[in-house]
Amino acid sequence: MEKTKVTLLLKESYLARIAGAVGTRMFQNLYALVDGERQDILRRGDLSCALFVSTVLVGFHLVKEVHVTVESTVRDMVSSGWTRIRYPRVGCVVIWRRTEGARIDRRHIGFYLGRGKATSNNSGKGYPHRHSYLVHRAFRTQLGHSLRYENESQ
């Protein structure tokens, strides 16, 4: 009997995982003891963007671990060989600027889908959704290749 040869299509699978996450509530809650008190540190999905992105990336061995902050996710991405790029490409990770005057001063992270669309966690609804984007920084990886870090001026 002949062995079946299976070759995973990583980029296609990665993009399908991102698209398939829309509407899932699996990133809404993460419980911890804070000063001895049990708390949902993601506030029913309000703070879930980094968990969503890093969970997808960990699933494809593109970062080392799951994170709950944008800052720690970006540090892991850079140390894992992600490169900063000037313009977004399909599948890259995008990071939105801190919004002045917002009720909470924080950055936001998600995935670029192409044609001006992105997927990220909707803090009001508490789950990933598709939307238009405004890019602050974009990072990319070539699945299966080593990369160098590039700054925006290159």
Side-chain angles (χ1 to χ4, degrees), residues 129-141:
H129 71 128
R130 279 181 61 119
H131 56 87
S132 64
Y133 82 105
L134 298 173
V135 175
H136 171 53
R137 286 191 190 137
F139 292 82
R140 70 178 172 98
T141 186

Side-chain angles (χ1 to χ4, degrees), residues 25-36:
R25 287 168 167 67
M26 70 181 285
F27 305 106
Q28 281 190 333
N29 308 99
L30 185 63
Y31 295 96
L33 289 178
V34 178
D35 294 328

Side-chain angles (χ1 to χ4, degrees), residues 35-126:
D35 294 328
E37 184 180 321
R38 180 184 172 270
Q39 289 184 17
D40 176 4
I41 60 174
L42 299 179
R43 300 182 197 159
R44 291 188 41 88
D46 184 39
L47 303 174
S48 295
C49 65
L51 179 65
F52 163 52
V53 169
S54 64
T55 299
V56 170
L57 298 179
V58 162
F60 288 90
H61 306 286
L62 298 173
V63 294
K64 296 171 192 76
E65 59 188 296
V66 173
H67 299 273
V68 294
T69 68
V70 173
E71 289 75 16
S72 64
T73 303
V74 171
R75 278 194 304 273
D76 194 351
M77 288 170 60
V78 170
S79 73
S80 297
W82 284 75
T83 340
R84 190 170 177 174
I85 58 175
R86 184 173 285 235
Y87 302 106
R89 298 180 188 143
V90 173
C92 76
V93 172
V94 292
I95 299 152
W96 288 267
R97 299 175 197 262
R98 295 172 191 245
T99 306
E100 287 191 34
R103 63 184 170 87
I104 298 176
D105 181 26
R106 64 178 184 230
R107 295 192 298 168
H108 187 63
I109 191 167
F111 296 99
Y112 182 67
L113 303 174
R115 298 182 181 189
K117 297 291 182 189
T119 295
S120 69
N121 187 68
N122 179 316
S123 60
K125 295 179 180 177

